[in-house]
């Protein structure tokens, strides 16, 4: 019985060590994920600000196409 207790105790110690190792690894992975997420958010924010800046520039082709369409539709006999 004492032998079984010793064996179970050693297994328990091994499991505790393995859990601690995995916990540390999970913390490192979480930190890495948070850093990558922050980097991604910054890149998306920059891309969105560039896209919105591009959208604020008026498209001159839109106004000229409307005038050419109306000119093309009017026919002189």
């Amino acid at each position: 019985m004492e032998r079984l207790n010793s064996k179970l105790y050693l297994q328990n110690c091994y499991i505790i060590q393995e859990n601690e190792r995995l916990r540390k690894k999970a913390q490192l992975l979480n930190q890495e994920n948070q850093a990558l997420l922050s980097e991604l958010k910054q890149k998306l924010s920059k891309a969105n600000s560039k896209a919105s800046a591009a959208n604020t520039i008026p498209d001159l082709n839109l106004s000229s196409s409307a005038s050419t369409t109306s000119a093309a539709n009017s026919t002189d006999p």
Side-chain angles (χ1 to χ4, degrees), residues 2-25:
E2 193 170 317
R3 181 182 241 190
L4 178 62
N5 269 350
S6 295
K7 184 177 178 181
L8 291 174
Y9 175 78
L10 289 175
Q11 285 179 344
N12 194 25
C13 288
Y14 173 75
I15 290 170
I16 290 171
Q17 287 175 347
E18 185 69 8
N19 281 343
E20 189 61 32
R21 184 186 71 81
L22 291 172
R23 186 177 293 112
K24 287 179 183 178
K25 188 173 182 177

Side-chain angles (χ1 to χ4, degrees), residues 13-65:
C13 288
Y14 173 75
I15 290 170
I16 290 171
Q17 287 175 347
E18 185 69 8
N19 281 343
E20 189 61 32
R21 184 186 71 81
L22 291 172
R23 186 177 293 112
K24 287 179 183 178
K25 188 173 182 177
Q27 286 175 340
L28 289 174
L29 288 172
N30 188 40
Q31 288 175 353
E32 183 180 357
N33 282 342
Q34 292 299 321
L36 290 171
L37 180 62
S38 176
E39 185 180 335
L40 179 63
K41 284 181 179 180
Q42 286 177 353
K43 287 182 179 182
L44 287 174
S45 176
K46 286 180 184 178
N48 285 339
S49 66
K50 287 181 182 179
S52 66
N55 288 339
T56 58
I57 299 171
D59 188 357
L60 299 177
N61 291 328
L62 290 177
S63 60
S64 66
S65 66

